Amino acid sequence: MRIDRTKNKKLNHWVEEVAAMTVPDQIYWCDGSKDEYERMIKLMVDDGLAIPLNSKKLPGSYLFRSDPSDVARLENRTYIASRSKDDAGPTNNWINPEELKIIMKGLYKGCMKGRTMYVIPFSMGPIGSAISKIGIEITDSPYVVVNMHIMTRVGSKVLDVLGEDGEFVPCLHSVGKPLAPGKKDNGIWPCAPIEEKYISHFPEEHAIWSYGSGYGGNALLGKKCLALRIASVIAREEGWLAEHMLILGITNPKGEKKYIAGAFPSACGKTNLAMLVPTIPGWKVECVGDDIAWMKFGKDGRLYAINPEAGFFGVAPGTSLQSNPNAMKTIDRNTIYTNVAITGDGDVWWEGIGYKAPGKLIDWTGKEWEEGKTDKPAAHANARFTAPARQCPGIDPAWEDPSGVPISAFLFGGRRPGTIPLVHQSFNWNHGVFLGSIVGSEVTAAALDLAAGTVRRDPFAMLPFCGYHMGDYFKHWIEIGKKTSADKLPKIFYVNWFRKTADGKWLWPGYGENSRVLKWVFERCNNEGGVAETPIGYMPTVEAVERAGLSGVSDSDMKELLAVDREGWQKEIVLVKEHYAKFGSRLPRELTDELAALEKRLA
Ligand code: SAT
Ligand code: MN
């Protein structure tokens, strides 16, 4: 088969090669049009894979139900196949790239029989921005096509930018379920058995091969695979940052605006923070992105961030008008829902939506479900919405600015019921990198084979997303701090919305009230705000966190939230040493120095 659909020879050749290996019935080049989106949806409705939702309540929205084995990212089937095992480091699964290619080529052989092979040209970031990157995803899943339409910028314009010899990241994906002649999916979500699923990254080649899963980050290859794992590798080569961070703009009552980026492990309310509605009068927060930030130095020596994505792929359960009103308004139209429950009249429902299930539902597995009749949740815990970012009422006016937005502060945080105060600020850049390197969240469920109460370290919230050795990644952050003057670097803060009292009650209300902490962060960026120097960093004085109009947080609560728990930190140091030991000689000296200095200050 000869392909001459584009001027880009490398792309034509790659498409030919993949088609020869996977043997699809036909090849379709995506143009990103609305018409194309609707045709794909219709195809899936006709095949029983998509269910149209109530067109009055949720116009243009559809429900998909995945296979029960294909409901989330699969960390243990995700590989970094660098030539040397050492370059993948202790936090990644490594396989020899040659061996992996033999295995995967075996799986890809004829895997698209009976299906259409879609070629999706997409841009991560505004098309043509100097910070953006082009990817081409080849997939046999129309579900992936429609999701990529929302999550990235798809279409012919991308091919124009690519030109004859432009660079792209090849992203190969198959659901791994060839169809016999004349057969259709017939309402059954296509995927391969778990032991055949592979989500593979070749960091030296900047290439992605994914097989066997149709869900989320395993299949929408622009997101975690390209925008984090491969981009982190490219960012290190080129001297910029590809981070698992939300980006928000915050404006004070005088109209002064700053942008803040923040990294939090999963299940810490990142999307809620990105879309926060402040409770303090006169302050405004606007959303640039909820998951990923790419940052490069501008001519003025400051870091400028873009959101490489164009949509939100958010967790539905727990999203309500109380926890995230902006998200609820974003997903009331043109939204793809996956694995939520539906009501009798074709509306969606999930645990934590803020109201009781209205009568009998159909749960995410397609079975009848009634409140109290079963202890299984109606929506899968990782059920998702895919919605265009432009639909968010709080979207920042500069969210598609090709030059990005200037970042004034970084936030790090996790779920920590003890030890870590509500907020503290690093003394300087390297101390801030230290704070990022020790990010962790307390494990709640019996997940991950860790006892409840254990802290799972998730440095920079990048544990599953760093495409190379985490020790080298820490070093890269140290190096970034040397590229400009200290006053131009973002200030670094560690926040913790999840402090509990000894008897297990939340000390801080969270959600919109977190704006009170953002206000202090904002002031610190202007070298203002009441501040005390402590052994762990700069902390707000009790009066410095605005509490007017806040109920339920007493002076003594505030003192507890802003105390330096020396004993707790001494225990923390022991754990950080264990954590650091994993990185061996690749752990930068600067971080062991920071740890030693902290230990000394606490003594
Ligand atoms: O499935 S995604 O990787 O896109 C989202 C997540 O699990 O963090
Ligand atoms: Mn994420």
Side-chain angles (χ1 to χ4, degrees):
M1 203 173 333
R2 289 278 314 161
I3 308 286
D4 53 4
R5 278 301 299 268
T6 76
K7 288 186 245 133
N8 194 293
K9 288 203 189 67
K10 201 172 135 202
L11 174 56
N12 293 341
H13 181 246
W14 179 56
V15 172
E16 273 171 35
E17 203 179 62
V18 172
M21 173 169 73
T22 59
V23 202
D25 278 8
Q26 50 184 328
I27 302 176
Y28 175 87
W29 290 71
C30 297
D31 62 15
S33 65
K34 194 161 180 281
D35 175 61
E36 174 178 280
Y37 182 89
E38 274 157 14
R39 273 184 284 122
M40 297 291 144
I41 290 278
K42 180 164 187 313
L43 213 75
M44 292 185 281
V45 170
D46 292 347
D47 203 5
L49 291 166
I51 300 167
L53 293 166
N54 186 315
S55 61
K56 292 221 173 60
K57 291 185 170 160
L58 300 163
S61 304
Y62 297 85
L63 169 71
F64 290 81
R65 295 189 188 118
S66 80
D67 186 272
S69 74
D70 201 26
V71 291
R73 260 188 310 106
L74 294 160
E75 286 181 23
N76 60 352
R77 305 298 307 169
T78 299
Y79 296 93
I80 300 297
S82 44
R83 280 194 286 270
S84 139
K85 182 172 183 185
D86 238 16
D87 288 339
T91 59
N92 284 312
N93 296 314
W94 177 83
I95 310 190
N96 175 293
E98 253 77 67
E99 264 171 54
L100 179 60
K101 282 191 176 173
I102 292 170
I103 298 171
M104 291 193 74
K105 279 181 181 167
L107 293 167
Y108 281 132
K109 201 169 167 213
C111 72
M112 294 191 188
K113 277 191 185 148
R115 295 189 185 275
T116 300
M117 180 173 118
Y118 301 96
V119 183
I120 315 172
F122 64 97
S123 176
M124 295 311 287
I127 296 176
S129 157
I131 316 182
S132 299
K133 293 268 175 224
I134 291 176
I136 310 284
E137 178 156 354
I138 293 182
T139 180
D140 51 8
S141 161
Y143 172 80
V144 167
V145 175
V146 291
N147 275 274
M148 289 294 283
H149 263 238
I150 297 177
M151 294 306 297
T152 73
R153 284 119 175 138
V154 172
S156 324
K157 267 201 219 133
V158 177
L159 295 178
D160 295 343
V161 173
L162 194 59
E164 273 175 43
D165 48 15
E167 290 283 315
F168 64 92
V169 177
C171 308
L172 174 53
H173 171 253
S174 171
V175 293
K177 188 98 181 288
L179 289 168
K183 284 274 185 308
K184 295 181 121 202
D185 285 316
N186 255 325
I188 300 187
W189 173 274
C191 63
I194 187 103
E195 65 282 359
E196 284 180 13
K197 295 188 211 271
Y198 285 89
I199 301 96
S200 308
H201 307 75
F202 301 93
E204 285 101 358
E205 286 172 50
H206 301 169
I208 301 159
W209 289 17
S210 169
Y211 182 91
S213 166
Y215 200 88
N218 305 327
L220 313 177
L221 302 185
K223 199 174 175 62
K224 308 294 188 181
C225 298
L226 194 167
L228 289 176
R229 298 194 193 95
I230 293 298
S232 63
V233 170
I234 300 175
R236 179 175 167 232
E237 291 164 0
E238 298 178 352
W240 50 281
L241 293 170
E243 299 299 323
H244 189 206
M245 286 185 175
L246 65 90
I247 310 163
L248 62 83
I250 176 165
T251 308
N252 75 5
K254 286 191 226 146
E256 189 189 344
K257 186 165 191 175
K258 294 187 193 299
Y259 287 95
I260 298 176
F264 298 81
S266 51
C268 291
K270 207 151 125 244
T271 302
N272 295 347
L273 181 61
M275 297 183 188
L276 170 142
V277 180
T279 50
I280 18 175
W283 288 74
K284 187 160 81 181
V285 168
E286 289 160 299
C287 175
V288 176
D290 78 327
D291 199 35
I292 301 174
W294 284 357
M295 290 168 279
K296 283 191 180 168
F297 285 105
K299 286 202 185 76
D300 62 359
R302 296 187 67 192
L303 270 176
Y304 284 77
I306 62 161
N307 170 11
E309 303 192 278
F312 304 116
F313 183 68
V315 178
T319 308
S320 68
L321 281 173
Q322 194 247 329
S323 69
N324 194 337
N326 276 331
M328 292 302 278
K329 287 173 206 149
T330 306
I331 62 178
D332 67 2
R333 61 201 188 281
N334 310 322
T335 296
I336 296 170
Y337 288 95
T338 310
N339 291 343
V340 301
I342 44 171
T343 67
D345 67 344
D347 198 357
V348 291
W349 192 87
W350 49 77
E351 282 67 25
I353 198 170
Y355 51 87
K356 273 211 156 82
K360 277 189 192 150
L361 307 178
I362 306 292
D363 73 8
W364 71 277
T365 67
K367 295 205 182 73
E368 229 180 58
W369 186 97
E370 216 178 327
E371 182 79 67
K373 292 257 165 86
T374 153
D375 51 10
K376 289 202 192 107
H380 187 275
N382 193 37
R384 297 275 172 158
F385 53 77
T386 320
R390 62 170 183 278
Q391 289 187 181
C392 178
I395 200 75
D396 192 88
W399 84 279
E400 295 199 275
D401 188 334
S403 36
V405 296
I407 298 299
S408 297
F410 286 132
L411 307 181
F412 295 117
R415 266 177 194 272
R416 296 297 304 269
T419 311
I420 314 288
L422 178 62
V423 57
H424 65 297
Q425 181 190 353
S426 77
F427 291 122
N428 52 46
W429 182 262
N430 283 0
H431 181 221
V433 175
F434 168 77
L435 294 181
S437 78
I438 67 167
V439 164
S441 244
E442 185 157 299
V443 176
T444 42
L448 304 158
D449 301 329
L450 295 171
T454 313
V455 177
R456 185 205 194 212
R457 295 288 156 192
D458 187 352
F460 293 78
M462 283 288 276
L463 188 67
F465 307 122
C466 183
Y468 59 100
H469 196 296
M470 188 66 84
D472 294 345
Y473 168 86
F474 295 159
K475 184 70 186 165
H476 177 55
W477 265 82
I478 300 279
E479 293 304 320
I480 286 286
K482 296 178 187 161
K483 284 181 186 280
T484 194
S485 56
D487 60 315
K488 297 204 167 121
L489 285 167
K491 303 220 176 336
I492 303 179
F493 300 81
Y494 199 118
V495 297
N496 179 20
W497 322 129
F498 301 96
R499 274 299 287 270
K500 285 185 173 172
T501 58
D503 53 353
K505 287 197 203 75
W506 297 115
L507 269 166
W508 182 252
Y511 302 112
E513 306 294 5
N514 292 338
S515 57
R516 297 169 189 278
V517 174
L518 296 184
K519 174 175 178 279
W520 185 74
V521 166
F522 185 105
E523 289 161 355
R524 291 303 300 146
C525 291
N526 288 339
N527 293 311
E528 294 163 6
V531 67
E533 189 174 333
T534 80
I536 61 168
Y538 297 120
M539 303 246 287
T541 54
V542 166
E543 309 75 51
V545 177
E546 161 120 28
R547 268 186 300 152
L550 174 67
S551 58
V553 183
S554 65
D555 282 345
S556 78
D557 290 341
M558 211 59 213
K559 276 194 194 123
E560 194 172 341
L561 281 162
L562 295 174
V564 176
D565 172 4
R566 278 179 190 265
E567 219 177 287
W569 275 98
Q570 262 138 8
K571 286 191 193 135
E572 188 80 8
I573 283 174
V574 177
L575 298 174
V576 170
K577 283 182 181 164
E578 277 172 31
H579 163 59
Y580 272 3
K582 287 197 212 101
F583 306 111
S585 62
R586 299 224 196 182
L587 183 77
R589 239 340 263 279
E590 289 86 346
L591 294 187
T592 30
D593 289 351
E594 286 297 331
L595 181 60
L598 172 65
E599 197 166 10
K600 218 167 128 197
R601 291 193 302 268
L602 282 165

